[in-house]
Amino acid sequence: MKIPLSWLQSFAPFPSDVALLTAMLDDLGLVVEGSERVGEGLEEVVCARVLSIEPIEGADKIRKITVDAGGEPLVIVCGAWNFEEGDVVPLAPVGAVLPGGFAIAKRKMRGVSSHGMLCSAKELGVGDDQGGLLVLSDLVGSDPGVKLMELLGITADVVFDLSAEGNRPDAWSVLGVAKDLAARLSLEVTMPSFGVAAASGNATSTSASAANAVPSQCSGLTVTAAHGVVVGASPPLIAQRLALSGMRPINNVVDASNYVMLELGQPTHAYDLDSLAGPALGVRLAHPGETLVTLDGVERTLGLAGRGLGQLPEDLVIVDGDDAVVGIAGVMGGGATEIHEETSALLLEAACFDAMAIARTSKKLGLRSEASNRFERGVDPELAGAATKRFFEILSLTCPELTVDEPSLTAAGARAPRTLIRATPARFASLLGVDLDGETIGTLLGPLGFLVEHDGEFLDITVPTNRPDIRSMPLGIADVAEEIVRTYGYARLERRFPSWPAPGGLSQSQRLRRHLRAVLVGLGLDEVWTPTLVPETDAHALHLDEPLVTLANPLAEQERALRSSLLPGMLTALRYNADRRQDEARFFEIGTAFTHPDVASAPRSAKAGAGGGAATALPQESTHLVVTLRDNRDDATTAVALWWALHEALKLEEAELVQPIDGSLVPANLLAGHHPTRSALIRSRTTGVNYGLVGEVDAPVLEAFGVERGSRVGLLVLDVTLLEDSGLVPRRTLRATPVSRYPSSDIDLAFTLQNVTPAGRLKEALVAAAGDLCTSVTLFDVYRGQGLPEDRRSLAYSLRFEAQDRTLTDDEVGALRAACIAAAEQVGAVLR
Amino acid sequence: MGEVIGSVDIDHLVLAAATAAQGATSRTVLEAVEAEFLGKRSELAGAHRSLGSMDEQARKSAGAVLNAARVQIQQAIEECRVGVEAAERSALLEADRLDLTEVVSSSIASPVRRGHQHVISQTQAELEDVFIGMGFTVADGPEVETDWFNFEALNIPPAHPARGMWDTFYLELGEPETVVLRTHTSPVQIHLMEDAVANDTLPIHAVMPGRCFRRDTPDARHLHTFHQIEGLVIDRGMTFVDLAGVIQTFTTAYFGADISSRLRPAFFPFTEPSAEYEITCTICHGEGCRTCSQTGWIELGGCGMVDPAVLHAVGIDPEEYSGFAFGFGIDRCAQMRHQIADMRALVENDLRFVEQF
Ligand SMILES: [Zn+2]
């Protein structure tokens, strides 16, 4: 919202110190997004009459112009061609500094001395036209030597660009801002007057009528007829203020309406009376499918249901005496009844519509206007009369013959009772933390229009009608508290650090995630952040054919789905780096994977819809840890080694790696993209819960995401949501085992085992046979090839034995060795 | 004997092609079969060429026979192709097979190198730690929410213009515009308060970090996916002055002793009174620079006293309990601390960026 300082100052004698006002407005919550000085540098510019135009020898772009600027004739060299001898144009004499800091000096061009510069509108900052000079000949009073600012009625000004918050409908006007500032500065606000009044017309013959068929959505419709209108340009002051406020001046009628809206915050609309069926207006709901061509020339269809927030098929319309639609209430008027050059009589509509009704229609039609913006925030229901009066006062400036039918006709609607807030000063203190007595509160609120009365220990506070944002009791206490502290000044508040006896801390699952990050970073991995929103094709490339969770309104087609797996994002990250000659990377990410409620193992359900009355099934959100390893020679074995390191760090009870993978045991998205013969399920031996996958990414998947052919990518996926639950994935005991004081004994055993039997099976047999005295069983060599049958490989294990209370004898160790060999034979292993 | 065209027995040819295709054990062999029976030098092609010497009637009928034969041969080859490809894939997989229980961990060569935590998760942990030190617990919440949790319980009713303050991604679930990607971490407040009321565990002193989404075209300063941290205190006797104290304590603890905070009136539907939370510009330390538009202050987030309508929605008595909430961007803190010029670097995962943190 742009507001010229001069307009503000017409309400109260505000200081002109821009920095001071900026700080004050900011502290009042009227954030100054910027401020701009206008009219600066035009002080020296004068009107000059062109006396003669002569060519300059050897120059075809510039000419020698002699002008009369009120003194001796001056010679100017000029490159513009859009004027003739006798025209009046603006001259910036030598010594002038134009807007933007351009200093005019005496210059010599092609041997001709130039004593100033003739200017275009753009160069002067008074318009956008830079096609030629600003020709002033037609303006009354454009005599040589007259100051341009005087001629155009321009005064040096400062324009503030303010942003008022959504809960401050009152601040969306010059008057509202003036009231806030005046309260802070203890100044009186007075309504400025242009000192003219329109004559009263005949109240009986042509008096307007108004009808209100929707009193619940229109608290009042005020209609006024006027004759003797002459459509033309607005006075310079009005036009200039509108322009500085960012509205293009159109004609005196439309400008008066806009001026009143900017100044008071009340939108009005003027209809060409002769285009209406008589001096009558009404407001009603549009019939389904009814149409209107609005001012912008677009045909709008009304009364239909829209999507989402615009679901209700209700639109407020303004109709004439024949019940024909002539405007969309609070949004935009119709083209057919627009004010035009020949308009001599008009009908003015000033109304107050329900904020939600206007918001609904505006959203449904995708049509926003200055008027709808204001109605959506809430317009003072008592403003229509004052706005009507002000409109005709401004119109009278250009229409001396104007007669206004009085009184205006108002069709009243349902008006909410005045909001009353009743609370003790202590109640406000309990919210604000600062003790203010009733009198102080009265002083703070009074200038904003609140009426504060004392009733014993209570304050009875009547809310002004321009604050529809302030709710009734009891919620309104907080709203009034904000007004109190706003005028008191946030900056003046004390700061107190509260304390409470409860300790802070992370949840168990947060500690786990931090631990995972720390361990993986320690193991040399880099953490990445990959997108939640992905193309639907990602899932197809992973052969995930379950339904996806998709967006109704994606920004781009490749961001339509919520990821069901983190893997595509991570492969894309590998590829991104490979494309930049950074082939070797080990990445991990901990993030959310989504599963459609139709196929979720644990779907969520939550309150949804208006009032939270309906239950809606929501996607399952699982936290996944995904690791992709693509450093030199990385493959499934690296992933397995990494997994056991992580397993150790997490102090898990022993996991087993299960091959081949039975896809029915875990959610499909946990297994997405794995290599079928080089991956294993991770399963808790204790509970049998499968909580992850370790191995490699399948080659066709790598290819689908552009990771170079022939390279292997090690893969580890953990369902962190399962891992968080130590009931499902148990941790090792915290109890320490004493270290034996006696030497340990090692035996190494090498077996051949059929390729089809997992080495893990042999290890299990060895662990079982070795018993409690065995502290470790470690695979240290695998061999295939010469000397071995094709279908067998050699596996060499080292077993360490020790006892807490003695040194083991050779016999004891020998017996254990024999037991281990026998157990190995049970699974088909043969000692080498 | 079937029909003979240009000395080619068509039925015999089709049968021979099918047999050859079925006998193929690889894609290469199958491609050879295809060339032999359908290629330019195939008998079928030869038979086609012989059509030229026939009269029109004969040419028509023989042509139809040849075309039918071509289709049959093609079908036979295609049928086999699926099988051959599956067989090849399974042979590849078989050759690739690895027993993951026979991995000798000690033989894995791995470079000695420390990795890097993502700058955002590092920043999040640092922020959490500051708040933990101030007595806050840390809570999580889901990224997909219903309109009730994301909007209505936060005093943003359906069709309320305030919903326009957030550009929302809606999901194709439930009724239109009822399931959303959360636009802020504030719905976690509602979950915490509802749980505390249900389990009778008030008061609450918690911060809630997490990923949020707004439907806004990404540029150097904003991503549509970002991270926020939000704080909520619901206790007896909490006031605006306590909020200002918490904000100030956090500001100096995280940004440094020379950085201060200030509050300015603002509007959020879920707090009243509300404030914008600004800190001393960390670039110029308050002197005024381009980053802070010469004001010496930069906007960090929003805060305020929890609106009584929110307390009402979750069943907390505003006469007994009061509270405040505050929130700001984690990514923004990282951006300020590390002077990250283009936020899009955060999701590119370029090693040259990742390795800086
Ligand atoms: Zn700065």
Side-chain angles (χ1 to χ4, degrees):
Chain A
M1 179 178 42
K2 290 188 170 174
I3 298 186
L5 177 58
S6 66
W7 203 343
L8 278 174
Q9 286 173 330
S10 70
F11 286 94
F14 295 122
S16 296
D17 181 338
V18 174
L20 176 83
L21 286 174
T22 300
M24 206 169 281
L25 288 164
D26 276 349
D27 194 47
L28 286 164
L30 304 166
V31 178
V32 180
E33 312 247 305
S35 58
E36 195 192 349
R37 287 182 186 279
V38 293
E40 226 177 20
L42 298 185
E43 296 88 347
E44 305 298 321
V45 181
V46 293
C47 297
R49 186 183 307 282
V50 178
L51 299 175
S52 68
I53 304 176
E54 298 159 64
I56 298 174
E57 214 180 297
D60 54 2
K61 294 250 161 57
I62 52 175
R63 297 184 295 180
K64 178 181 165 189
I65 317 292
T66 308
V67 298
D68 168 12
E72 291 291 300
L74 288 172
V75 171
I76 315 285
V77 176
C78 179
W81 295 73
N82 67 324
F83 57 95
E84 294 163 13
E85 285 177 8
D87 271 339
V88 178
V89 293
L91 167 73
V94 171
V97 181
L98 290 184
F102 180 53
I104 307 297
K106 192 170 146 184
R107 289 178 65 197
K108 203 167 194 178
M109 279 174 278
R110 297 271 173 179
V112 181
S113 286
S114 180
H115 298 81
M117 186 172 104
L118 304 179
C119 307
S120 71
K122 174 103 173 175
E123 284 158 343
L124 296 171
V126 298
D128 288 330
D129 190 2
Q130 52 181 334
L133 302 186
L134 175 65
V135 178
L136 305 164
S137 318
D138 292 345
L139 293 182
V140 178
S142 60
D143 299 321
V146 169
K147 297 267 185 201
L148 181 73
M149 286 175 72
E150 219 167 276
L151 178 71
L152 296 180
I154 296 176
T155 42
D157 212 337
V158 177
V159 179
F160 288 101
D161 189 0
L162 296 183
S163 119
E165 296 284 4
N167 66 333
R168 294 292 312 282
D170 62 301
W172 205 248
S173 64
V174 183
L175 173 62
V177 173
K179 276 188 182 169
D180 249 30
L181 265 183
R184 179 59 69 87
L185 288 162
S186 306
L187 295 172
E188 193 88 20
V189 168
T190 47
M191 190 66 202
S193 165
F194 290 108
V196 290
S200 282
N202 188 333
T204 49
S205 62
T206 65
S207 184
S209 73
N212 185 351
V214 271
S216 64
Q217 297 184 39
C218 171
S219 65
L221 171 67
T222 297
V223 179
T224 316
H227 297 267
V229 177
V230 180
V231 176
S234 286
L237 176 70
I238 303 292
Q240 195 198 346
R241 282 186 177 170
L242 287 179
L244 291 178
S245 305
M247 293 196 93
R248 197 164 53 89
I250 295 169
N251 59 47
N252 54 346
V253 179
V254 175
D255 292 352
S257 173
N258 285 336
Y259 190 94
V260 170
M261 177 175 67
L262 293 177
E263 184 173 63
L264 305 179
Q266 169 73 56
T268 58
H269 188 80
Y271 298 86
D272 174 41
L273 183 52
D274 295 328
S275 309
L276 296 170
L281 289 178
V283 56
R284 64 160 165 84
L285 289 177
H287 305 309
E290 215 165 2
T291 60
L292 175 72
V293 177
T294 40
L295 280 173
D296 52 7
V298 179
E299 186 180 75
R300 313 279 176 177
T301 308
L302 303 159
L304 302 179
R307 268 181 55 80
L309 305 180
Q311 239 167 356
L312 209 59
E314 290 187 358
D315 295 305
L316 293 181
V317 291
I318 304 294
V319 293
D320 67 6
D322 284 348
D323 202 39
V325 178
V326 294
I328 303 172
V331 181
M332 197 175 274
T337 52
E338 190 180 358
I339 300 294
H340 54 84
E341 279 177 33
E342 313 301 324
T343 298
S344 62
L346 61 79
L347 207 53
L348 186 75
E349 164 218 326
C352 181
F353 304 109
D354 177 53
M356 294 286 268
I358 302 305
R360 181 170 59 232
T361 297
S362 164
K363 176 173 196 275
K364 215 163 26 175
L365 298 178
L367 180 60
R368 300 181 68 84
S369 62
E370 291 286 337
S372 73
N373 283 344
R374 284 173 172 77
F375 280 119
E376 280 185 26
R377 287 160 182 266
V379 164
D380 183 348
E382 310 237 323
L383 205 51
T388 301
K389 188 162 164 280
R390 185 70 166 161
F391 172 87
F392 287 115
E393 182 186 354
I394 290 163
L395 195 57
S396 301
L397 293 172
T398 46
C399 304
E401 303 296 314
L402 188 73
T403 58
V404 180
D405 288 0
E406 282 180 2
S408 304
L409 259 260
T410 298
R415 178 80 61 82
R418 289 289 285 267
T419 307
L420 289 170
I421 300 298
R422 184 175 165 83
T424 59
R427 181 76 185 90
F428 293 118
S430 76
L431 273 175
L432 299 175
V434 49
D435 271 318
L436 301 171
D437 59 24
E439 200 176 327
T440 311
I441 290 173
T443 317
L444 290 168
L445 292 178
L448 300 180
F450 290 80
L451 183 66
V452 181
E453 289 165 308
H454 300 253
D455 173 18
E457 57 173 326
F458 279 92
L459 298 177
D460 281 319
I461 302 170
T462 309
V463 177
T465 53
N466 66 343
R467 297 303 304 270
D469 57 300
I470 298 204
R471 295 164 291 182
S472 52
M473 284 290 284
L475 300 180
I477 291 176
D479 301 335
V480 172
E482 178 169 87
E483 291 310 295
I484 294 171
V485 69
R486 203 170 58 77
T487 29
Y488 176 76
Y490 281 28
R492 288 170 64 192
L493 285 177
E494 181 203 348
R495 290 157 180 198
R496 175 173 69 211
F497 186 79
S499 68
W500 46 81
L506 293 171
S507 70
Q508 205 158 341
S509 64
Q510 290 160 346
R511 279 203 298 272
L512 171 65
R513 276 176 272 158
R514 280 207 189 182
H515 191 192
L516 286 170
R517 285 193 174 96
V519 171
L520 291 167
V521 165
L523 289 169
L525 276 67
D526 291 326
E527 188 181 17
V528 292
W529 162 15
T530 75
T532 298
L533 301 179
V534 298
E536 291 175 287
T537 48
D538 271 9
H540 305 151
L542 297 175
H543 303 291
L544 284 173
D545 43 18
E546 295 174 351
L548 295 172
V549 185
T550 49
L551 295 178
N553 58 342
L555 272 173
E557 202 45 45
Q558 65 270 24
E559 294 179 341
R560 178 175 281 282
L562 271 61
R563 62 180 175 190
S564 46
S565 160
L566 279 55
L567 184 59
M570 301 190 63
L571 293 177
T572 305
L574 285 181
R575 189 220 168 126
Y576 182 94
N577 280 288
D579 287 348
R580 285 153 187 78
R581 303 200 303 126
Q582 297 161 160
D583 294 272
E584 302 188 343
R586 291 175 164 179
F587 286 148
F588 78 92
E589 180 175 12
I590 298 173
T592 309
F594 299 83
T595 310
H596 195 283
D598 290 354
V599 289
S601 57
R604 278 194 303 138
S605 171
K607 287 181 278 190
T616 287
L618 295 176
Q620 182 171 352
E621 296 185 17
S622 314
T623 305
H624 283 186
L625 161 68
V626 178
V627 172
T628 52
L629 304 168
R630 203 200 176 207
D631 211 333
N632 190 22
R633 287 193 304 250
D634 276 350
D635 64 1
T637 62
T638 335
V640 169
L642 179 89
W643 158 243
W644 289 120
L646 194 56
H647 178 273
E648 178 61 26
L650 295 174
K651 300 188 176 67
L652 301 180
E653 272 188 14
E654 201 182 333
E656 61 179 319
L657 301 184
V658 183
Q659 283 178 287
I661 289 175
D662 178 351
S664 67
L665 297 177
V666 281
N669 62 345
L670 199 68
L671 299 181
H674 76 277
H675 187 304
T677 54
R678 295 172 74 85
S679 303
L681 274 184
I682 299 173
R683 177 181 297 167
S684 164
R685 267 185 205 283
T686 329
T687 61
V689 169
N690 300 291
Y691 56 94
L693 167 120
V694 64
E696 229 167 79
V697 183
D698 202 6
V701 171
L702 292 179
E703 207 174 321
F705 291 98
V707 179
E708 194 190 333
R709 253 187 111 99
S711 70
R712 293 189 184 273
V713 173
L715 174 67
L716 172 67
V717 186
L718 293 179
D719 186 331
V720 180
T721 311
L722 285 178
L723 196 58
E724 281 166 11
D725 187 338
S726 58
L728 298 174
V729 184
R731 273 42 174 188
R732 289 196 319 243
T733 172
L734 294 176
R735 201 176 62 224
T737 309
V739 172
S740 173
R741 304 284 165 201
Y742 300 90
S744 57
S745 310
D746 288 352
I747 56 170
D748 290 351
L749 294 171
F751 301 95
T752 67
L753 185 68
Q754 278 194 306
N755 286 339
V756 292
T757 312
R761 206 79 86 66
L762 173 56
K763 183 181 172 181
E764 276 169 44
L766 293 173
V767 168
D772 292 344
L773 293 174
C774 180
T775 56
S776 68
V777 176
T778 312
L779 178 67
F780 69 90
D781 187 49
V782 180
Y783 173 75
R784 283 183 170 81
Q786 218 181 355
L788 287 179
E790 192 125 294
D791 64 339
R792 297 180 84 86
R793 78 283 205 199
S794 163
L795 300 165
Y797 287 90
S798 175
L799 292 80
R800 172 161 291 188
F801 296 93
E802 66 182 29
Q804 290 290 339
D805 55 352
R806 64 187 190 281
T807 305
L808 295 174
T809 65
D810 288 351
D811 283 352
E812 276 177 299
V813 175
L816 288 166
R817 183 174 184 277
C820 286
I821 293 167
E825 280 167 355
Q826 292 295 311
V827 298
V830 177
L831 189 69
R832 286 187 78 187
Chain B
M1 283 288 277
E3 194 160 348
V4 176
I5 299 169
S7 85
V8 181
D9 179 336
I10 298 304
D11 286 353
H12 182 77
L13 186 70
V14 170
L15 193 67
T19 312
Q22 277 154 18
T25 49
S26 71
R27 267 186 287 185
T28 328
V29 176
L30 203 63
E31 274 156 25
V33 171
E34 195 170 3
E36 184 187 340
F37 288 93
L38 296 175
K40 278 185 188 150
R41 295 184 186 170
S42 62
E43 290 185 62
L44 200 63
H48 243 287
R49 281 192 289 275
S50 72
L51 293 181
S53 57
M54 298 181 184
D55 63 51
E56 197 181 327
Q57 191 65 33
R59 185 160 63 223
K60 252 191 184 162
S61 73
V65 169
L66 286 180
N67 284 341
R70 172 170 288 273
V71 169
Q72 275 179 294
I73 293 173
Q74 267 165 351
Q75 276 173 352
I77 290 173
E78 278 322 303
E79 273 163 29
C80 294
R81 194 189 305 277
V82 178
V84 164
E85 280 176 4
E88 264 190 19
R89 158 104 168 130
S90 85
L92 264 177
L93 288 177
E94 207 43 55
D96 232 10
R97 183 177 289 282
L98 180 66
D99 175 5
L100 294 190
T101 61
E102 64 166 58
V103 172
V104 181
S105 290
S106 59
S107 72
I108 306 288
S110 193
V112 176
R113 173 189 189 265
R114 191 177 159 78
H116 304 83
Q117 206 179 318
H118 195 278
V119 61
I120 294 303
S121 71
Q122 276 186 50
T123 307
Q124 179 177 328
E126 286 165 22
L127 292 168
E128 287 169 356
D129 288 344
V130 171
F131 284 113
I132 289 169
M134 289 163 66
F136 286 82
T137 56
V138 185
D140 294 315
E143 292 171 26
V144 172
E145 289 281 8
T146 63
D147 54 347
W148 164 263
F149 287 98
N150 196 74
F151 292 125
E152 189 163 353
L154 289 160
N155 195 30
I156 314 163
H160 194 277
R163 282 202 187 179
M165 287 169 72
W166 295 272
D167 298 310
T168 310
F169 281 118
Y170 293 102
L171 268 60
E172 291 180 310
L173 282 176
E175 293 297 312
E177 302 194 357
T178 59
V179 183
V180 306
L181 279 172
R182 65 174 171 191
T183 57
H184 43 196
T185 40
S186 309
V188 188
Q189 288 186 26
I190 304 299
H191 291 293
L192 286 183
M193 289 190 278
E194 284 193 341
D195 291 351
V197 169
N199 303 319
D200 201 14
T201 54
L202 284 168
I204 297 168
H205 320 94
V207 290
M208 297 141 255
R211 188 174 282 202
C212 307
F213 306 83
R214 287 192 195 164
R215 195 178 178 282
D216 209 351
T217 307
D219 58 31
R221 298 190 54 205
H222 312 88
L223 301 176
H224 59 55
T225 304
F226 59 97
H227 302 84
Q228 248 189 5
I229 187 163
E230 178 130 348
L232 174 70
V233 173
I234 300 286
D235 207 338
R236 291 187 173 86
M238 287 296 146
T239 69
F240 205 62
V241 160
D242 297 293
L243 166 62
V246 165
I247 294 280
Q248 176 60 22
T249 304
F250 162 76
T251 303
T252 45
Y254 181 76
F255 291 101
D258 56 338
I259 302 295
S260 190
S261 68
R262 72 171 185 184
L263 302 182
R264 275 194 342 196
F267 169 66
F268 306 103
F270 33 86
T271 51
E272 188 84 8
S274 302
E276 205 115 74
Y277 158 29
E278 296 184 321
I279 62 167
T280 317
C281 176
T282 52
I283 305 287
C284 65
H285 292 258
E287 296 288 313
C289 68
R290 245 182 48 207
T291 303
C292 59
S293 313
Q294 308 303 330
T295 61
W297 294 93
I298 36 184
E299 196 182 309
L300 200 64
C303 61
M305 300 302 293
V306 177
D307 195 286
V310 175
L311 295 176
H312 185 256
V314 296
I316 293 176
D317 178 5
E319 297 280 336
E320 186 182 358
Y321 282 100
S322 59
F324 53 81
F326 54 87
F328 51 89
I330 296 173
D331 306 356
R332 176 131 173 77
C333 289
Q335 180 197 31
M336 281 164 49
R337 174 159 291 185
H338 302 287
Q339 294 176 36
I340 299 169
D342 191 335
M343 300 289 268
R344 287 170 288 203
L346 296 175
V347 283
E348 279 171 356
N349 302 309
D350 192 309
L351 275 169
R352 291 165 293 180
F353 183 76
V354 171
E355 286 173 349
Q356 294 175 40
F357 303 100

